[in-house]
Amino acid sequence: MIKFSPLFKKKINRFKSINRGYYSFIILIMLFLPSMFSVLIANNRAIIVCFNGSYYFPTYSSMLTGSFFDQNYEYEVKYRELSKIFKEQNSGNWLIMPPIPYNPYENDFKEGIYPPDSPSFSAKHFMGTDTMGRDVACRLIYGFKIAMIFSMILLFVNYGLGISIGCFMGYFGGKFDIIFQRVIEIWSNIPFLYVIIIISSIVVPNLFMLIVIMSFFGWISMTWVMRTITYKEKEREYVLSAKAMGAGSFRIIFKHILPNTIAVIVTFAPFAISGGIVSLTSLDYLGFGLPPPTPSWGELLGQGWANMDAWWIVTSVIFAMTFTLLLVTFIGEAVREAFDPKLYTIYE
Amino acid sequence: MKQYFIRRLLLIIPTFIGITIIVFAITRFVPGGPVERIIMQAQQMKNMDGMGIIGDTQENSSQPLSDEQINELKKYYGFDKPVLVSYCLWFLKVITGDLGVSTRYYDPVWDMIVERIPISLFYGLVSMVLVYGICIPLGILKAFKHKQAVDNITSIIIFTGYAIPGWVVGLLLLVFLGSYWEIFPLGGFTGDDFENLNVIEKAYDIVLHAVLPVISYVAGSFAVMTLLMKNTLMENLSADYIRTAISKGLPFKKAVFDHALRNSLIPIATHFGNNVSVILMGSFLIEKVFNIDGMGLLGYESVIERDYPVVLGILVISSVLLLAGNILSDICVAIVDPRVRFK
């Protein structure tokens, strides 16, 4: 268990007292945790099936064929139809479908209607379908999950790189610092979106490839921040006494300096998350992010742009995006206020 | 001071070389360049020709061009020399002002860029004027009315603008105001029959096309500036020198506008230099959403189509602007804040 210093605990308490940020944090967690179990929220498999007295959980078990449920086909059973059949038979068999009974890759083509189809509650397409007949709400949820996981891993990779390089630059100074300063200046001036587009048009990136490519350019801002702070911290007495007791450079950096800079690291984290979501969405919108058919907000925005009559696609994505990013921004503002309170004088 | 700026100006050169050499090397090692494109086209043409003839299919998939032809092509596009040599050749040409010829349209790159600059410049300048025109007064107002109704209501808009990127705002506006209610055109810089309009109609046409993109540009950057303005002004208002000024009897308004405001403009001035590259280069996402044929879209399309001379040409201009913008920021800070002494 990590032990927080009383000072850090005080800051956490201050964060909790800022209502807007604290509730945003709770809401975001309440959105994120269920999205981990998105197969139970949006799926074409039933959550639970009661058939001839025994229970089945198709979302977490292997595929069950039609003949298994006394249907006359051998491929995977269609749970939406099975549900109707069970109701007609009225034989004590039942099943519960997820709230959105579609999976994100499933094309729901209806006779005589060409997708995209507008929202309808009777078809349980609460936010309509996209150009391929896939459920928008369902893809939003899966896209949210992917975007959040993406930005969090990206955050860790960027911070890991940025913090270590920044600390080394600040702590060792001298030639190491000067060389890296030049490198960073060059690096940060390369139009990174261009490079990402060039790279991802050759190799189709998966989630981890994309993180690697993005973190290639993402570590810079944190490095600058950490460098400045380490410079300041290095001159403090506790570093001197640690050195006098014979602690090595690595120990001083990671055991003594780093805990003292935690406030800054935490302050920047929420903004890095929203930055991650925005850049993944932008890349997906341009078609250089995750490969199709991965559900993603950017890809939906791209579809909405190409089919402007289907206003529900753009509207639902932008609503979801605004809501999520606003939550993250509120959290970020509250964290900043908690860690760096500014007391203003107000003249009446 | 002068020494400092001269040194900064000289430091542009190694950084510029560093940036261009990296991108140059990337364009070299990445497959899909102009030579491969021509080989592919030749192959397609051969396949088309071969459709009628029932021959062995093996020959169709083999190399359509002879080695000699490929070498000729490589020589034409300058791919026959090692990276460093061709980089030096390219660099020498750039210094003389020759950015080369597009491998896609065979137009001089410089002409292609000059054609696009006025469009991006127009949007950049209009939105910059609007951003500063909105942010500074709004920031001052919010600082005065801190935690009052006006502050809280505008905060909602500002946080929303801060959270979502400008091009997403543009997309939303486009779908509703452009497509659904058909108030504004669906993009482009001018309408289709622009040539046949008189001067007033032309101006109206441009303005009508500009409304939504300009809103997106402004939405993308006004939030940061307003918050910056508000926070620094509030910090200055609670500083000792303002307290002293007020306690010695200076009217509040005078204290703010004569003393606090000037100090609060320093961070805004720091931001100013960064605008230079945005104004000229535009945002390619916004330009893509609205189909505006500006610098941003040119750069984006040249990357997609592997038109490397154009990519590098835009890179040259954008990196010089970016580096010059950083120095301009410093100069602005020095003008606004006489205490600053760069060494």
Side-chain angles (χ1 to χ4, degrees), chain B residues 175-292:
Chain B
V175 166
F176 281 96
L177 297 178
S179 167
Y180 198 71
W181 286 307
E182 293 179 4
I183 300 172
F184 293 105
L186 284 174
F189 186 65
T190 54
D192 292 332
D193 53 347
F194 185 70
E195 298 296 321
N196 308 327
L197 303 172
N198 63 36
V199 182
I200 299 164
E201 282 172 333
K202 269 185 184 171
Y204 177 71
D205 191 51
I206 289 181
V207 170
L208 201 62
H209 279 83
V211 173
L212 296 184
V214 165
I215 293 177
S216 325
Y217 273 115
V218 172
S221 54
F222 90 107
V224 181
M225 299 291 264
T226 312
L227 284 180
L228 196 69
M229 185 68 219
K230 184 199 167 187
N231 290 343
T232 43
L233 186 57
M234 290 199 61
E235 245 165 67
N236 276 308
L237 283 181
S238 47
D240 286 340
Y241 70 93
I242 292 291
R243 195 184 314 146
T244 317
I246 288 182
S247 52
K248 81 176 163 83
L250 199 69
F252 178 63
K253 278 225 165 92
K254 213 168 156 55
V256 171
F257 287 106
D258 283 4
H259 300 280
L261 192 61
R262 193 164 173 204
N263 282 314
S264 314
L265 287 176
I266 297 168
I268 302 270
T270 325
H271 256 262
F272 185 77
N274 304 343
N275 286 332
V276 175
S277 62
V278 179
I279 288 171
L280 212 58
M281 303 307 293
S283 150
F284 76 90
L285 278 162
I286 291 178
E287 290 191 355
K288 186 175 187 303
V289 167
F290 289 102
N291 260 329
I292 300 163

Side-chain angles (χ1 to χ4, degrees), chain A residues 66-209:
Chain A
S67 55
F68 186 84
F69 292 108
D70 293 340
Q71 306 299 312
N72 52 357
Y73 49 89
E74 274 305 320
Y75 44 90
E76 178 163 26
V77 65
K78 294 169 183 158
Y79 290 98
R80 288 193 296 268
E81 283 165 20
L82 192 68
S83 166
K84 279 179 204 151
I85 293 167
F86 280 177
K87 259 181 206 151
E88 278 164 21
Q89 286 173 342
N90 207 3
S91 55
N93 295 334
W94 51 268
L95 59 82
I96 300 174
M97 287 302 285
I100 300 167
Y102 299 95
N103 95 9
Y105 307 108
E106 187 186 3
N107 311 80
D108 185 30
F109 291 124
K110 290 196 190 74
E111 260 175 63
I113 301 169
Y114 292 100
D117 196 10
S118 57
S120 95
F121 277 85
S122 60
K124 296 213 171 176
H125 286 302
F126 300 110
M127 291 176 184
T129 61
D130 68 1
T131 45
M132 313 269 279
R134 296 172 298 203
D135 188 71
V136 171
C138 177
R139 287 180 75 79
L140 271 186
I141 294 171
Y142 281 78
F144 172 75
K145 178 173 101 173
I146 292 172
M148 286 298 282
I149 293 175
F150 172 84
S151 345
M152 278 183 202
I153 300 176
L154 187 67
L155 174 86
F156 279 110
V157 176
N158 279 345
Y159 274 32
L161 277 174
I163 288 170
S164 359
I165 297 175
C167 281
F168 287 148
M169 279 170 73
Y171 187 78
F172 294 118
K175 275 204 184 98
F176 185 80
D177 186 30
I178 290 173
I179 293 171
F180 258 92
Q181 270 190 46
R182 290 294 110 212
V183 171
I184 286 177
E185 195 174 347
I186 294 171
W187 213 245
S188 60
N189 280 319
I190 295 175
F192 89 103
L193 223 47
Y194 283 7
V195 177
I196 289 177
I197 287 171
I198 293 177
I199 296 174
S200 57
S201 57
I202 317 154
V203 281
V204 175
N206 56 19
L207 190 70
F208 291 97
M209 261 300 280

Side-chain angles (χ1 to χ4, degrees), chain A residues 215-291:
Chain A
S215 55
F216 233 66
F217 295 92
W219 54 276
I220 295 167
S221 56
M222 202 56 208
T223 309
W224 272 135
V225 174
M226 286 311 287
R227 175 182 166 269
T228 328
I229 296 170
T230 320
Y231 250 118
K232 276 185 201 155
E233 289 290 321
K234 190 173 95 174
E235 304 300 325
R236 302 270 293 269
E237 277 86 4
Y238 71 89
V239 175
L240 194 68
S241 39
K243 224 183 240 170
M245 288 169 86
S249 306
F250 279 82
R251 193 184 166 83
I252 292 175
I253 291 174
F254 290 109
K255 198 95 182 167
H256 297 282
I257 294 182
L258 201 57
N260 280 299
T261 58
I262 193 92
V264 182
I265 299 171
V266 172
T267 313
F268 280 96
F271 299 105
I273 293 276
S274 63
I277 296 175
V278 168
S279 36
L280 181 68
T281 311
S282 310
L283 276 180
D284 280 338
Y285 169 73
L286 297 171
F288 295 102
L290 299 168

Side-chain angles (χ1 to χ4, degrees), chain A residues 20 182 185-191 193-195 197-199 201-202 271 274 278 281-283 285-288 298 301-302 304-305 308-311 314-315 318 321-322 325-326 329-330 333 336-337 342-347, chain B residues 11 14-15 18-19 22-23 26 30-31 146 159-160 162-165 167-168 171-172 174-176 179-180 186 231 234-235 237-239 242-243 246 252 284-285 288-289 291 296 299-300 303-304 306 308 311 314-315 322-323:
Chain A
R20 190 168 67 186
R182 290 294 110 212
E185 195 174 347
I186 294 171
W187 213 245
S188 60
N189 280 319
I190 295 175
L193 223 47
Y194 283 7
V195 177
I197 287 171
I198 293 177
I199 296 174
S201 57
I202 317 154
F271 299 105
S274 63
V278 168
T281 311
S282 310
L283 276 180
Y285 169 73
L286 297 171
F288 295 102
L301 282 178
W305 182 69
M308 283 191 205
D309 293 331
W311 52 269
V314 167
T315 317
I318 292 184
M321 200 169 160
T322 313
L325 291 177
L326 261 183
T329 311
F330 284 154
E333 280 302 311
R336 179 142 69 195
E337 215 175 308
K342 285 205 176 81
L343 300 170
Y344 295 120
T345 319
I346 294 162
Y347 296 94
Chain B
L11 268 177
T15 320
I19 297 167
I22 288 179
V23 176
I26 291 174
V30 159
H146 183 57
F159 272 119
T160 320
Y162 184 73
I164 49 176
W167 64 273
V168 176
L171 193 55
L172 187 69
L174 195 60
V175 166
F176 281 96
S179 167
Y180 198 71
L186 284 174
N231 290 343
M234 290 199 61
E235 245 165 67
L237 283 181
S238 47
I242 292 291
R243 195 184 314 146
I246 288 182
F252 178 63
F284 76 90
L285 278 162
K288 186 175 187 303
V289 167
N291 260 329
Y300 170 73
V303 170
I304 304 252
R306 305 288 158 72
Y308 292 137
V311 174
I314 288 178
L315 185 78
L322 202 70
L323 295 170

Side-chain angles (χ1 to χ4, degrees), chain B residues 43 46-47 56-64:
Chain B
Q43 197 150 9
K46 200 174 173 190
N47 285 349
D56 56 343
T57 45
Q58 211 167 11
E59 206 185 347
N60 280 344
S61 57
S62 69
Q63 194 56 263

